[in-house]
Amino acid sequence: MSGARRHPGLSAPSLLWRHSATDPGAALVVALLVLLGCFLAVATPRTVAALHTAALAEQLAARPASELDLTAEARSGPDPGPSEGASTLPDDVDAVWGAQEQRLRDLRSALPEPLRGATGDPLTVLVADPVVAAVPGAEPGGPIYRIQPGFDPRLREHVRLTEGDWPAAFAGEVPGSTPAEIVLADAVAERLAWAVGERRDVAVLGGTLPVVLSGTVEPVDPEAGFWTHLPTGLRASVIDNGISAPTYTGVAYLDPGSWQRFATSVAAPVMQVWLPIELDQVRATDTSLLSAQLGEFGSVAHSLGSGAWIEIPPPPTSTPGTFVPYLSYSVVGDVGFTSGLRDALVAAAVSATAVDAVLATIASGPVGVVVAVLLLGARVVFERRRAGLELAAARGASPGQLRGILALEGLAIAVPAAIVGAAVGVAAVPGDLGIEGWWIAAGFALVPAALLVSRAPALSPLRRARSDLGGRSGRWRAVLEALVLVLAAVAVLLLVRRGVGDARPGQGVDPLLAATPLLLALAACVLVLRLYPLPLGRLVRRMAERPGLVPFLGAARALRDPTAGLVPVLAVVVGVAVAVTSAVLLGTVRSGTEAASAERVGADVAVSGAPFTRAQLDAFEAVPGVEAIAPVYSTRPGRLEVDGRDRTATIVVVSAQELRRVQQGRPDAIDLPAGLDATGGEATPVLVSRPIADFLAQGGDAELDGEPFEVIGVADPSTPFTGRPTWMLMDRENAAPFTETLVPRSVLVRLAPGADAAAAVSALSELAGAEAAVTTADELASELGSRPDARGLTVGLVAAIVISTLLTALAITLTLAVGRPARERLLPLLATLGLGRRGERALVGWEIAPVTVAAVVAGVALGAVVPWIVLAGVDVRTFTGGSTAPLVAYDWPLIGAIVATSIAVSIAAAAVAASVGARASAARATRIEEER
């Protein structure tokens, strides 16, 4: 007798498939949540890393290369000698400069990564003090032309000839009668009015030397960082104060192989050697390591030569017995390298830390909402599977088998979604592969299975319990709630007492700052769940005294058998709080940026750039719509000495009368003391920044560049004159002991009321020239807002608003889905008693409305408070550009619009979920009641 044949549809795999495929809507929601979570977990760290790298690149690009390059200076020449092995220098140049370049190359090769990869091939240039190049037959009182003798061993790689010839090797004596050949940049030759082939006499140590302009050149790449090391290499500097004759100064390039001929005759030669920083090789992820390597490299001296003195024998003399001393010059020895890159990396770290802190603070909320919604989704999936699991348990399935079924379904839902989400995240945001976010993605892949298994009871068959009859330990609930409240209070207290911490490269996200908003949200949930039943109970008692079933029944069900527990309340509270917090932070950053921009400009318009002549200043003042101007006549470094201790301070020279007129009525006007422009005193009256005042408060006699001064006022360190916080401001009438020339490079402009600002700015730009910049506060605010870190913060906050709003709506939808079985039991019974569709919808509203309203109120209050917590622990000045932290600004129209949108989306989601539930219950009411 043949064995019984089993039906193919009753095999274990087939039953599992039919079990999982039944009512797949909730499973799809969970899968989408896992996909979204894994996508964000993988893509967000890559996006933030790319954001930091872009912000770092922009900050570095805004600084001159001479400030960032690893640079050493020596008041000496190269230790002459050829390089070892192959050289890319011409033989005659290599004989003088080759050995030094070889040492520089070896020095770079020994650098560790990533510092070595961030540097380029070494460069060298030597420039001496300017000397007058007198024009033969020039009339007295005419322009003064000066050249700076310059030697560049790779001159022909940096410039190309536009006219004439390269300078020939010099074989004569200095001083002497043999002309030396030079080349000038086209713009310099034009300023110096020097034609190719023209000869001029140049003063050198011990006499004069004729110099001939053999050719003119233009840069191969005028934007190359090389030229920032030679400020007058391409364009002559101009000093024209309208009183004395204008002075023009530019670099004159001689044959680099002839350096030794000039070594003893040029004044104060300064040789710069540097390793150029390759900006495209500096990544934000290497900030910490790069900072450490830069500090280590700059802390030791490096040998570039012997440091000896080389003697040059005297020329043959025609007078026997005459003593002629040997001439000598020093060659480079040990040097120390400096670079502003480390400071730039620290500044970028401050910005990155602020971005990370704000985003982590905001992201902790949506992460909590995602977890909460996943809990709801898993609960809905479990409820959909409950009937089948009860049947399996009744037919002998063990608890282990039931848990295995739930675990397999959880893995089948989450693992494919996690893989897809992670893959989309990798494809959407290319970048270096790392482990950032992958652990979170793995957690999302496992969480649904764990949640489903946790829903299975320890014993079988499954039993249902009424939630309104207790079953939970009130004591343990009270302990946990008290613990949440205490942790939230302690976190806030620690954060406020600690204040804004110092950002360091590689510091990472502050866990206390990131966790505090979520702890506050949990505390708000505890308060909502504890407090909202109090008014709801009073409402139930009042409704019991009135006619009508629906209000009383809805309020009583919301009180005795609430569908919403901690999970949906947390979702609503956090979702609304994140949206409000993001709106407040957006408004705070925007208002802070506008205030800081106005403070940095210091007037209606600021013109800065090249030195301005007296004629240009007069033209600025004559522009239609311009009411007044205030030139900044000088901003130069000075040495402040107090009892043997010294520090550098920027000396700012203005006209107090002009500045008062320009800044009159402005909230950010500098308070200039009345005696600032007083003359004839023994000491110069000055206004100092607060850091300088703190330095002077240490006591003792103080001098500025060896001259006495009197502090008559103290001001905040932020000014439109200089970016440095240490400055001393004086009136131009008292500036003679501290500066010889008063050549303004920036001018503050006040516009007349009702003036056409655009037309005035256009006219000022035309008068200032292409090298100058004309800035208004609005333009500066727009520029600050367009920086990568500011854009990233804005995008992150907007994304948090959108994601939180959608997750809140989804949480409400799933909450109603969790209560669907109870409605399917109740509504058919009420329908037989005459309850209509409108009453059914009202009961559904009562099911979710009371706790949702309470959660929304708590979320708005929490969202209004959290920004104060964030600003207590985050330095957001990196976004605003101001010297002081901005005050929290509430943009109530924006906040109202966001809250209204969030509520509208939630109501729409609840209406859809309720209508779907109502249609399903009407179709299955009779059968469900019979089965139960």
Side-chain angles (χ1 to χ4, degrees):
M1 184 176 179
S2 62
R5 298 181 59 185
R6 305 181 66 177
H7 193 282
L10 297 180
S11 63
S14 177
L15 288 175
L16 284 174
W17 169 253
R18 293 173 63 186
H19 169 81
S20 301
T22 302
D23 200 358
L28 290 176
V29 171
V30 173
L32 289 175
L33 283 172
V34 171
L35 188 151
L36 175 63
C38 291
F39 169 79
L40 293 177
V42 174
T44 299
R46 292 164 170 258
T47 302
V48 172
L51 168 67
H52 291 338
T53 298
L56 175 61
E58 184 173 279
Q59 292 183 39
L60 296 182
R63 302 193 180 202
S66 58
E67 183 180 332
L68 300 176
D69 295 339
L70 277 165
T71 306
E73 286 190 358
R75 292 191 173 275
S76 56
D79 196 350
S83 60
E84 300 176 0
S87 173
T88 57
L89 294 172
D91 292 341
D92 60 331
V93 178
D94 185 73
V96 179
W97 302 86
Q100 175 178 281
E101 182 169 293
Q102 182 66 51
R103 295 186 184 98
L104 286 168
R105 289 182 179 274
D106 294 342
L107 193 64
R108 177 177 179 265
S109 299
L111 292 175
E113 291 291 353
L115 182 57
R116 181 171 67 247
T119 57
D121 292 332
L123 295 171
T124 302
V125 68
L126 187 151
V127 176
D129 272 0
V131 291
V132 175
V135 179
E139 296 291 336
I144 300 174
Y145 302 121
R146 303 190 304 175
I147 61 171
Q148 295 175 269
F151 300 85
D152 177 8
R154 296 191 176 275
L155 176 66
R156 302 191 184 192
E157 298 177 16
H158 298 141
V159 297
R160 51 175 169 259
L161 277 171
T162 56
E163 185 181 356
D165 299 311
W166 295 106
F170 182 71
E173 300 296 334
V174 183
S177 58
T178 303
E181 294 184 352
I182 62 169
V183 292
L184 297 173
D186 289 329
V188 175
E190 181 180 355
R191 280 289 196 179
L192 271 59
W194 201 331
V196 173
E198 180 184 347
R199 170 176 167 170
R200 296 184 183 179
D201 293 327
V202 173
V204 294
L205 296 179
T208 60
L209 179 71
V211 174
V212 175
L213 182 63
S214 64
T216 56
V217 296
E218 65 179 5
V220 174
D221 179 10
E223 302 300 325
F226 173 86
W227 300 110
T228 64
H229 291 265
L230 285 176
T232 56
L234 296 182
R235 298 175 182 85
S237 68
V238 183
I239 299 176
D240 183 7
N241 56 15
I243 301 174
S244 57
T247 301
Y248 303 92
T249 307
V251 173
Y253 304 98
L254 294 100
D255 172 55
S258 304
W259 153 246
Q260 290 176 290
R261 292 283 181 176
F262 297 89
T264 60
S265 302
V266 295
V270 176
M271 182 176 63
Q272 289 187 68
V273 295
W274 69 92
L275 300 176
I277 297 297
E278 304 291 340
L279 298 184
D280 57 344
Q281 298 300 316
V282 179
R283 295 180 174 84
T285 52
D286 299 329
T287 296
S288 179
L289 186 56
L290 265 177
S291 296
Q293 292 174 351
L294 286 167
E296 182 179 355
F297 182 77
S299 64
V300 297
H302 304 275
S303 177
L304 296 184
S306 64
W309 285 82
I310 295 181
E311 293 186 343
I312 300 178
T317 177
S318 58
T319 307
T322 302
F323 174 75
V324 179
Y326 276 69
L327 300 176
S328 62
Y329 69 94
S330 64
V331 299
V332 67
D334 292 347
V335 298
F337 285 83
T338 61
S339 172
L341 178 60
R342 194 173 186 218
D343 293 338
L345 293 177
V346 171
V350 173
S351 175
T353 300
V355 172
D356 291 344
V358 175
L359 293 181
T361 302
I362 298 300
S364 65
V367 168
V369 177
V370 169
V371 174
V373 175
L374 270 177
L375 285 169
L376 286 173
R379 183 177 174 185
V380 173
V381 171
F382 178 79
E383 292 297 333
R384 296 291 187 270
R385 305 291 180 255
R386 179 186 284 271
L389 292 173
E390 287 178 338
L391 180 60
R395 293 185 176 182
S398 67
Q401 289 175 321
L402 298 178
R403 293 189 182 93
I405 293 173
L406 290 173
L408 287 175
E409 181 168 5
L411 293 174
I413 292 172
V415 171
I419 294 174
V420 173
V424 174
V426 171
V429 188
D432 296 334
L433 294 177
I435 63 172
E436 294 86 355
W438 288 100
W439 292 110
I440 299 178
F444 274 116
L446 299 177
V447 162
L451 293 176
L452 286 176
V453 170
S454 67
R455 300 295 301 179
L459 298 175
S460 187
L462 304 181
R463 299 189 179 104
R464 300 183 183 181
R466 289 182 57 180
S467 60
D468 60 331
L469 295 181
R472 294 182 180 180
S473 174
R475 179 182 302 173
W476 283 109
R477 177 186 174 184
V479 170
L480 290 176
E481 290 176 346
L483 180 62
V484 169
L485 294 175
V486 170
L487 287 176
V490 170
V492 172
L493 180 62
L494 290 176
L495 198 59
V496 172
R497 291 186 61 183
R498 186 190 67 184
V500 179
D502 295 330
R504 300 181 303 276
Q507 179 177 349
V509 175
D510 183 354
L512 175 63
L513 183 62
T516 300
L518 189 56
L519 288 174
L520 287 173
L522 289 172
C525 292
V526 169
L527 295 177
V528 168
L529 291 175
R530 281 292 184 179
L531 297 179
Y532 96 93
L534 301 179
L536 190 59
R538 295 183 61 183
L539 182 62
V540 170
R541 290 190 293 271
R542 293 185 62 181
M543 292 300 176
E545 300 171 356
R546 296 182 178 182
L549 172 65
V550 172
F552 168 73
L553 181 59
R557 291 189 69 244
L559 180 63
R560 294 187 59 201
D561 189 15
T563 300
L566 174 64
V567 173
V569 171
L570 176 64
V572 176
V573 168
V574 173
V576 175
V578 167
V580 174
T581 298
S582 300
V584 174
L585 289 177
L586 282 174
T588 301
V589 171
R590 183 173 62 248
S591 64
T593 300
E594 293 172 352
S597 299
E599 182 183 33
R600 287 175 59 178
V601 173
D604 296 329
V605 184
V607 186
S608 60
F612 299 118
T613 65
R614 183 69 255 177
Q616 285 178 299
L617 297 180
D618 294 339
F620 291 162
E621 202 163 11
V623 168
V626 172
E627 182 176 324
I629 68 170
V632 182
Y633 294 98
S634 179
T635 53
R636 74 166 190 85
R639 186 171 65 89
L640 177 62
E641 185 175 359
V642 179
D643 277 350
R645 297 173 291 106
D646 60 3
R647 68 178 303 171
T648 300
T650 300
I651 300 175
V652 180
V653 180
V654 299
S655 168
Q657 182 179 0
E658 292 173 342
L659 186 58
R660 289 191 187 100
R661 185 180 176 193
V662 165
Q663 292 195 325
Q664 182 180 6
R666 293 181 60 88
D668 53 11
I670 300 173
D671 186 12
L672 300 178
L676 187 64
D677 49 357
T679 59
E682 295 182 359
T684 301
V686 296
L687 173 71
V688 301
S689 65
R690 193 163 302 281
I692 293 294
D694 294 339
F695 179 71
L696 294 174
Q698 299 175 16
D701 297 331
E703 290 184 341
L704 178 62
D705 285 347
E707 298 288 337
F709 63 90
E710 178 187 2
V711 176
I712 61 172
V714 180
D716 290 334
S718 178
T719 71
F721 314 124
T722 176
R724 299 184 180 276
T726 53
W727 51 265
M728 305 177 71
L729 185 144
M730 63 184 66
D731 190 83
R732 64 173 298 181
E733 299 298 328
N734 300 312
F738 303 97
T739 180
E740 297 179 356
T741 58
L742 297 176
V743 181
R745 291 179 176 270
S746 61
V747 180
L748 305 185
V749 180
R750 179 186 182 92
L751 300 179
D756 187 342
V761 167
S762 178
L764 291 170
S765 299
E766 185 175 353
L767 291 171
E771 299 178 6
V774 180
T775 308
T776 64
D778 291 341
E779 291 174 349
L780 182 57
S782 177
E783 178 185 340
L784 292 174
S786 64
R787 294 182 306 179
D789 49 4
R791 291 200 310 270
L793 178 67
T794 301
V795 171
L797 293 176
V798 172
I801 293 172
V802 174
I803 293 174
S804 299
T805 300
L806 295 178
L807 288 176
T808 302
L810 183 58
I812 292 175
T813 302
L814 291 176
T815 301
L816 290 174
V818 168
R820 178 180 169 185
R823 289 195 302 276
E824 289 179 343
R825 295 191 300 270
L826 176 64
L827 292 181
L829 176 62
L830 295 178
T832 60
L833 299 177
L835 183 68
R837 295 294 298 274
R838 179 179 297 180
E840 293 179 355
R841 287 193 292 268
L843 283 177
V844 174
W846 274 102
E847 189 174 324
I848 196 69
V851 71
T852 301
V853 171
V856 167
V857 173
V860 172
L862 181 62
V865 171
V866 166
W868 292 91
I869 306 299
V870 174
L871 294 180
V874 180
D875 187 357
V876 296
R877 291 177 297 177
T878 182
F879 308 120
T880 64
S883 59
T884 57
L887 298 177
V888 176
Y890 294 95
D891 188 344
W892 293 113
L894 177 62
I895 295 173
I898 290 175
V899 173
T901 302
S902 178
I903 293 175
V905 172
S906 300
I907 291 175
V912 171
S915 63
V916 171
R919 288 192 296 269
S921 63
R924 300 168 54 198
T926 304
R927 181 171 59 84
I928 290 176
E929 288 303 312
E930 290 177 353
E931 290 176 353
R932 298 189 187 283

